[in-house]
Amino acid sequence: MFTILVFLSLVCGLEGADVVLSCSLIEEGGGMGGMMGGAMFKRTPSTLVFRDLVGNDGLSPELVTPYNPPETPNADDLIFELTLPSIQVPNADLLLHADCNEQEVVCEISRYVPRGAELDSLPAHFIGSVQLEGGGISLTLVLQTLHSETTQSDTQPLMQSKLNLPLSQSGTLRTEVVFVVFSRVPSIVAPIGGDVLLDCGFRQKNSVPGQDVALEWRIQHRGNGRKILDMKARETGADVGQDLFVDREGTSAEPDLLVRDGNASLTLRRLKVTDEGTYICTVGSGEFQTQQIVQLHITQPPRITLSEEKLTFQDTTPQKLSCHCHRYYPLDVQVEWFSQAPSEEEPVSLSKESSLSSHRQHSDGTYSLSSHLTLQPDKNPPGTIITCRVSHPTLETPSDATLTVDKPEPQTAFWTIVLMLAISVVFLYQAFKGAGGSAQEKKYTR
């Protein structure tokens, strides 16, 4: 992808009507190689101007900074002037604040041929892809060129040198949005076993009542892909009919919402690790079809336990302590060890003295890991706090498991046993002595 910064024609903190994006026109053939050694593409710098993005919201004219085209039109300039006359794109106003929020925008434009149209037919069509990095809106826009302004003179309009399309009097290529597929949450995190809604929607200008709306959801992950839902829905009077294919249990989309509200969102229930991946939402209606991408990240935080509840040194023998991290996802986990004796003000790291087991993967796709540490009694006197600290992407802050070294218990048990043995010996001696005296007495009596 070609990442650029967003340029807004307004003052930070104030809302405006026009947004100007620095984009790239993508054409096949020549230029830079595509990603992963794919097809060759040529990129030409271009500009995308959103006109009246916010609309009439009561702002005073002093707060609106309109876009001003070049004073002298240039046939080599690629300026796509975009209007939204009848399509309201949810959350598109987030583009107004991207510069103030220091967010980047990915903007690409390429030629598009609707169903049943020829490549050079008029009006011309383009695909505009606009993605707000770091969360926010992602748009795939179908742009249709508008007729140039009529003039009273016989002067021919200026033709754009690369596209061979007529430019407006201000040197821009005037277009309008006729179809858009969007996602307001293009990346989402969800836990194992939970449910999730993958947001996708569309808007269309001049849609024909009763026409089919086609929806397809696919998942791509680690080079493998498959279709998990295919739906064709149509409004027939008060009802909505559908043809449906589902390849995953617990997967659903709402046909009535798709047809009447443009809601193409997908619900996934009882999530598993295998549900993680890139989801492609493709919507087709009439002559237009385009798609949107939603990333789903599956997570599960680790459960952390220590192998011992109490730690006591009875002699100079070292003791082994283990920290177990149970059933987490994704794989990335970090385990650290610290000790803090009563005489120390700050914890001391023991991580270099520890060892790690290999990752163990369970049947549900989660992982477990153990870290082992051998503790010396002379370095860990009673009162020393031993801490196992675990970091994982699911944890906002590291999670700790701790124990305190106890004082050795008095060895009273040993002396109790010795005393009992002594008492037993004395008792047996007295018993045998008593038995011997009785026998002698009987002998003399005879």
Side-chain angles (χ1 to χ4, degrees), residues 226-230 245-249 251:
R226 76 180 195 276
K227 183 192 302 184
I228 60 173
L229 182 139
D230 193 347
F245 165 81
V246 176
D247 188 44
R248 179 198 179 277
E249 186 178 353
T251 301

Side-chain angles (χ1 to χ4, degrees), residues 418-432:
V418 171
L419 179 60
M420 292 178 64
L421 288 173
I423 293 172
S424 299
V425 170
V426 171
F427 175 78
L428 291 173
Y429 173 76
Q430 292 293 337
F432 280 115

Side-chain angles (χ1 to χ4, degrees), residues 233 320 385:
K320 182 179 178 180
I385 300 174

Side-chain angles (χ1 to χ4, degrees), residues 304 306 321 323 335-340 347-351 371 373 375 380 384-390 398-404:
I304 304 164
L306 293 175
L321 185 63
C323 183
V335 182
E336 301 174 282
W337 288 94
F338 298 93
S339 71
Q340 185 173 2
V348 177
S349 175
L350 302 177
S351 299
S371 177
L373 179 68
L375 297 169
N380 299 278
T384 300
I385 300 174
I386 307 298
T387 301
C388 170
R389 179 166 296 166
V390 177
S399 181
D400 291 349
T402 63
L403 59 74
T404 303

Side-chain angles (χ1 to χ4, degrees), residues 124-384:
H125 293 84
F126 297 85
I127 282 280
S129 174
V130 179
Q131 300 176 14
L132 188 60
E133 295 289 333
I137 192 72
S138 179
L139 307 172
T140 306
L141 309 152
V142 177
L143 312 179
Q144 179 176 289
T145 57
L146 297 172
H147 296 294
S148 300
E149 303 97 327
T150 57
T151 60
Q152 296 182 356
S153 64
D154 295 332
T155 305
Q156 293 294 322
L158 183 66
M159 303 295 290
Q160 210 287 323
S161 58
K162 176 177 288 292
L163 303 175
N164 195 32
L165 292 173
L167 299 177
S168 67
Q169 291 182 351
S170 57
T172 64
L173 187 65
R174 298 181 64 244
T175 66
E176 64 174 345
V177 176
V178 292
F179 192 74
V180 57
V181 177
F182 59 87
S183 178
R184 291 160 294 190
V185 189
S187 180
I188 190 169
V189 177
I192 293 176
D195 300 341
V196 71
L197 181 70
L198 303 184
D199 183 75
C200 182
F202 80 99
R203 300 287 186 270
Q204 182 177 6
K205 180 185 178 184
N206 300 331
S207 60
V208 179
Q211 73 179 6
D212 283 1
V213 178
L215 171 63
E216 178 187 276
W217 278 93
R218 298 184 65 87
I219 178 175
Q220 297 281 346
H221 188 56
R222 296 179 180 176
N224 297 317
R226 76 180 195 276
K227 183 192 302 184
I228 60 173
L229 182 139
D230 193 347
M231 174 187 290
K232 288 183 175 62
R234 68 204 64 84
E235 191 169 13
T236 56
D239 300 324
V240 174
Q242 65 167 330
D243 301 322
L244 180 64
F245 165 81
V246 176
D247 188 44
R248 179 198 179 277
E249 186 178 353
T251 301
S252 63
E254 300 297 331
D256 53 339
L257 296 180
L258 175 67
V259 172
R260 294 167 178 167
D261 300 335
N263 186 341
S265 299
L266 182 74
T267 298
L268 300 175
R269 296 181 177 84
R270 300 179 295 279
L271 290 172
K272 302 177 182 179
V273 169
T274 52
D275 291 318
E276 182 175 71
T278 300
Y279 285 78
I280 304 171
C281 169
T282 303
V283 180
S285 179
E287 58 187 326
F288 303 116
Q289 174 180 295
T290 188
Q291 62 189 26
Q292 192 57 240
I293 291 177
V294 181
Q295 299 286 346
L296 174 60
H297 304 279
I298 302 295
T299 62
Q300 180 159 293
R303 182 173 61 88
I304 304 164
T305 61
L306 293 175
S307 59
E308 307 291 339
E309 294 182 359
K310 297 174 60 178
L311 184 63
T312 304
F313 295 101
Q314 294 291 352
D315 50 31
T316 58
T317 304
Q319 293 201 32
K320 182 179 178 180
L321 185 63
S322 299
C323 183
H324 305 297
C325 306
H326 305 274
R327 294 185 176 275
Y328 53 85
Y329 192 86
L331 183 64
D332 303 325
V333 68
Q334 181 181 5
V335 182
E336 301 174 282
W337 288 94
F338 298 93
S339 71
Q340 185 173 2
S343 59
E344 296 173 337
E345 295 183 358
E346 296 291 335
V348 177
S349 175
L350 302 177
S351 299
K352 292 184 179 180
E353 304 173 23
S354 64
S355 62
L356 285 174
S357 70
S358 58
H359 288 278
R360 303 180 296 277
Q361 188 171 20
H362 304 281
S363 59
D364 63 356
T366 60
Y367 298 92
S368 292
L369 177 78
S370 297
S371 177
H372 310 290
L373 179 68
T374 300
L375 297 169
Q376 305 293 335
D378 57 334
K379 296 181 180 179
N380 299 278
T384 300

